[in-house]
Amino acid sequence: MKIGVLTSGGDCPALNAVLRGLGKYVYENIPKAEIIGIADGYGGLIDGEYRKMSRSDFSGILNVGGTILGTSRQPFKKMTLKTDDDPVTKAEKMKENYKAMKLDCLVTLGGAGTHKSAALLSSLGLNVIGLPKTIDNDIYGTDVTFGFHTAVEIATECIDRVHTTAASHGRTMLVEIMGNKVGWLTLYAGIAGGADIILLPELPFDTERVLKKIRERAEEGKAFSIIAVAEGAMTEEEAKMKKKDRMAARAEKGYTTVTGELAGLIGQQVGVDTRVVVPGHMQRGGAPSPYDRLLSTQIGSYAGSLIKQGIFGVSVAVRGEQMTYNRLEDIAGKQKAVPADHPLIKAARDIGISFGVKR
Ligand code: F6P
């Protein structure tokens, strides 16, 4: 049995921990198995760049950040694109290379985009298993994705550290947390870090309500405020615009996200000193947390057990403490966004945290 494996899309902590779980399971439990590591995500499958991985490749990587295989972003919309220069699509090239490599199956570790491409390859007849990676926690049909909780810890620590300096100076500090489309990371880290205001892409905010909250805090004698802003957060007005127009309007003002403009408005209208902190890719780097190491060991070994049983065309999912799977075709193209009635939002509101929206 020849098993191809690749890591695709933005990296995150615990990719190596999942590879280790998979590799160790396979070499312990599937006789005569061979693992082929494909370089740089789908890019390596398109270009035919790969190497055989032995048992020892999967040792000593449990706590190592990044991915030993390398990764790349390969937009789904380009997978089936034909051009005059290249009439063979990327999807067709991947199928050809899968055959040329004589693979029996392919395991793809990746986020929502990776899963869409995995579903496409599965529809072309390849035996594919997707594994749910992303600090965004937005893969449909799973309680949690690996990498998410480590990123929550990093972002929380960042807010904690900003908290003390904000308090010392009596400033309003805006911490911009990763999450372009969904706000899971901002919600979790915002609450865990004791933010006063949390702004999520799913809940377009009213700027006046944000300003009001900061003024109210000042009236209560609290000179500083902490705002956790998701990268993809937007105002109510912006939410009415098409993404293209929203980005163009921001670019004209010199911003790519809402955070800088909001900081400026708070400074002008409330009269407080503001600072923006962007932890950025730090949230994706470094060692996975113990929780993510445990989860990854389960996900990797469970994926190995699916291979052993011959179950393909699926994505591994977590339900409570159990591992299960969804059909790729059922989850591809869907997104798990933060619901407005999520229990954490309720708890946060009940203790006075503002989301910048009407309750
Ligand atoms: O998908 C994870 C993510 O971290 C998003 O939250 C973020 O917007 C994006 O990746 C940025 O990735 P990159 O800089 O690698 O394009």
Side-chain angles (χ1 to χ4, degrees):
M1 153 109 24
K2 227 173 169 188
I3 302 159
V5 61
L6 60 82
T7 55
S8 172
D11 73 339
C12 75
L15 279 162
N16 287 328
V18 173
L19 289 175
R20 172 182 175 270
L22 173 71
K24 290 199 177 225
Y25 180 97
V26 166
Y27 285 128
E28 285 291 323
N29 297 284
I30 307 181
K32 294 195 190 137
E34 199 181 322
I35 300 183
I36 306 296
I38 297 163
D40 303 332
Y42 288 122
L45 190 55
I46 294 163
D47 300 334
E49 283 172 25
Y50 54 90
R51 68 183 164 96
K52 183 174 180 296
M53 297 178 84
S54 59
R55 248 172 210 269
S56 63
D57 286 310
F58 298 101
S59 288
I61 59 170
L62 176 62
N63 57 358
V64 179
T67 160
I68 56 168
L69 291 175
T71 186
S72 65
R73 288 196 187 275
Q74 300 287 332
F76 177 75
K77 52 181 183 251
K78 294 198 176 156
M79 288 292 178
T80 48
L81 204 69
K82 281 187 182 151
T83 62
D84 290 342
D85 293 341
D86 201 349
V88 184
T89 68
K90 289 183 173 180
E92 286 161 353
K93 282 183 192 162
M94 288 197 279
K95 185 173 176 177
E96 278 170 20
N97 280 328
Y98 176 98
K99 300 272 177 213
M101 290 156 73
K102 297 195 171 16
L103 295 182
D104 294 296
C105 65
L106 172 69
V107 183
T108 64
L109 284 66
T114 301
H115 275 74
K116 265 168 96 174
S117 299
L120 172 68
L121 294 178
S122 174
S123 75
L124 295 178
L126 276 54
N127 291 328
V128 188
I129 298 177
L131 305 187
K133 164 239 72 165
T134 167
I135 65 162
D136 293 342
N137 195 32
D138 62 345
I139 297 188
Y140 193 83
T142 182
D143 289 353
V144 66
T145 57
F146 61 87
F148 172 63
H149 278 285
T150 304
V152 171
E153 287 193 18
I154 300 167
T156 301
E157 185 181 352
C158 180
I159 299 174
D160 280 348
R161 289 181 184 274
V162 162
H163 222 125
T164 57
T165 166
S168 306
H169 289 266
R171 287 172 169 157
T172 291
M173 303 278 272
L174 297 90
V175 185
E176 186 178 285
I177 313 271
M178 271 190 165
N180 234 328
K181 295 184 182 143
V182 299
W184 291 106
L185 184 53
T186 310
L187 177 68
Y188 274 57
I191 296 175
D196 307 298
I197 300 168
I198 298 176
L199 304 177
L200 309 177
E202 293 89 340
L203 300 175
F205 66 89
D206 172 0
T207 309
E208 282 308 318
R209 285 180 189 274
V210 174
L211 301 178
K212 188 167 163 256
K213 175 73 185 173
I214 299 168
R215 288 193 189 105
E216 279 170 6
R217 281 179 54 80
E219 279 158 21
E220 286 165 17
K222 291 169 186 155
F224 76 94
S225 294
I226 304 291
I227 312 184
V229 191
E231 226 182 348
M234 62 189 93
T235 63
E236 285 174 343
E237 295 73 38
E238 285 183 319
K240 291 178 193 140
M241 300 160 86
K242 285 193 178 129
K243 187 177 176 194
K244 203 171 95 229
D245 299 333
R246 182 165 69 238
M247 297 319 278
R250 281 185 189 165
E252 229 171 78
K253 296 179 205 157
Y255 301 115
T256 51
T257 64
V258 82
T259 322
E261 189 179 4
L262 180 61
L265 270 171
I266 294 168
Q268 281 163 22
Q269 306 212 10
V270 188
V272 290
D273 204 9
T274 62
R275 292 288 186 276
V276 172
V277 175
V278 185
H281 291 77
M282 271 197 281
Q283 295 160 99
R284 294 219 316 239
S289 65
Y291 172 87
D292 262 330
R293 295 180 203 185
L294 300 178
L295 182 67
S296 300
T297 302
Q298 271 185 295
I299 290 178
S301 66
Y302 182 73
S305 76
L306 291 179
I307 296 172
K308 195 172 177 192
Q309 295 167 74
I311 298 175
F312 302 115
V314 297
S315 170
V316 170
V318 184
R319 297 242 169 85
E321 291 190 346
Q322 299 302 320
M323 293 293 127
T324 179
Y325 59 81
N326 295 305
R327 305 290 320 164
L328 279 169
E329 72 222 36
D330 293 339
I331 61 155
K334 294 186 186 165
Q335 191 161 47
K336 187 183 74 176
V338 178
D341 60 352
H342 191 278
L344 272 177
I345 295 188
K346 183 183 179 319
R349 280 188 166 137
D350 288 349
I351 63 160
I353 296 174
S354 167
F355 288 85
V357 295
K358 204 170 163 207
R359 286 193 67 153

